């Protein structure tokens, strides 16, 4: 039983950290699109700061990948080539429309951290992009999920 108690404490702490990180970090918001225009590149659905980061030349020092499916898992990636590949995969994603589909136990969050400590967050629910109160269906996202699988398999 002590193992179960440790596991529960770990999950609660990780959940609190994720919530804090998501609330304080720059993230994608629906400022770039109106509800009638819900098709375009994923970067079009980000605030200007996050869009500039995603499409720019700055390479972050660290990628934190939070995989909250049946269990909560956290991974840190320091490999520059892997981080750059994830950024390119995100930039290649196309949003195809809004959806009402949500999953209670299938979330993925990618947090990029620069050398200055700035954070940029991209969140997904059931492989749908989350921005504010909106959830969007995606196309051309296979590379991102392959990279996510690779990151989680490496640890």
């Amino acid at each position: 039983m002590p193992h179960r108690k440790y596991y529960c404490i770990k999950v609660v702490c990780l959940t609190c950290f994720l919530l804090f990180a998501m609330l304080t970090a720059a993230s994608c918001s629906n400022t770039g699109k109106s509800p009638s225009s819900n098709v375009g590149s994923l970067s079009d659905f980000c605030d200007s700061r996050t869009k500039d980061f995603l499409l720019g030349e700055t390479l972050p020092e660290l990628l934190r990948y939070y995989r909250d499916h049946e269990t909560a898992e956290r991974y840190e990636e320091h490999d520059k080539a892997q981080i750059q590949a994830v950024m390119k995969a995100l930039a290649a994603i196309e949003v195809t429309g809004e959806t009402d589909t949500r999953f209670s136990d299938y979330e993925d969050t990618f947090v990029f951290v620069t050398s200055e400590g700035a954070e940029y967050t991209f969140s997904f629910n059931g492989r749908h992009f989350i921005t504010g109160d909106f959830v969007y269906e995606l196309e051309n996202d296979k590379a991102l999920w392959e990279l996510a699988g690779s990151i989680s398999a490496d640890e």
Side-chain angles (χ1 to χ4, degrees), residues 14 20 23 25 35 37 47-48 57 61-63 65 93-94 97 102-103 122-124 139-140 144-145 149:
L14 180 60
F20 175 76
L23 292 174
S37 176
D47 61 53
S48 61
E57 300 296 319
E61 294 291 314
L62 171 69
L63 168 61
Y65 171 45
I93 293 174
E94 293 291 321
R102 292 218 183 214
F103 299 88
F122 299 85
S123 299
F124 300 85
E139 190 173 89
N140 200 28
L144 176 65
W145 303 119

Side-chain angles (χ1 to χ4, degrees), residues 6-127:
Y6 174 75
Y7 176 77
C8 290
I9 291 170
K10 184 178 170 183
V11 169
V12 169
C13 289
L14 180 60
T15 302
C16 290
F17 177 78
L18 279 172
L19 182 60
F20 175 76
M22 290 171 69
L23 292 174
T24 60
S27 63
C28 289
S29 64
N30 199 33
T31 57
K33 292 286 184 178
S34 68
S36 62
S37 176
N38 57 10
V39 175
S41 71
L42 184 126
S43 63
D44 292 338
F45 291 78
C46 297
D47 61 53
S48 61
R49 181 175 172 263
T50 304
K51 182 176 183 174
D52 290 346
F53 165 77
L54 183 61
L55 302 178
E57 300 296 319
T58 304
L59 189 60
E61 294 291 314
L62 171 69
L63 168 61
R64 292 187 189 117
Y65 171 45
Y66 301 98
R67 186 176 186 266
D68 188 11
H69 294 195
E70 292 178 11
T71 60
E73 302 167 21
R74 177 184 178 197
Y75 304 96
E76 288 194 356
E77 182 63 59
H78 297 273
D79 180 82
K80 300 287 187 194
Q82 188 82 326
I83 293 171
Q84 187 173 28
V86 172
M87 289 180 68
K88 285 184 178 182
L90 283 166
I93 293 174
E94 293 291 321
V95 173
T96 59
E98 194 174 340
T99 182
D100 293 328
T101 305
R102 292 218 183 214
F103 299 88
S104 61
D105 61 350
Y106 202 94
E107 294 191 8
D108 296 90
T109 303
F110 299 87
V111 180
F112 296 92
V113 183
T114 67
S115 58
E116 295 83 26
E119 295 186 357
Y120 300 88
T121 303
F122 299 85
S123 299
F124 300 85
N125 177 275
R127 297 192 174 183

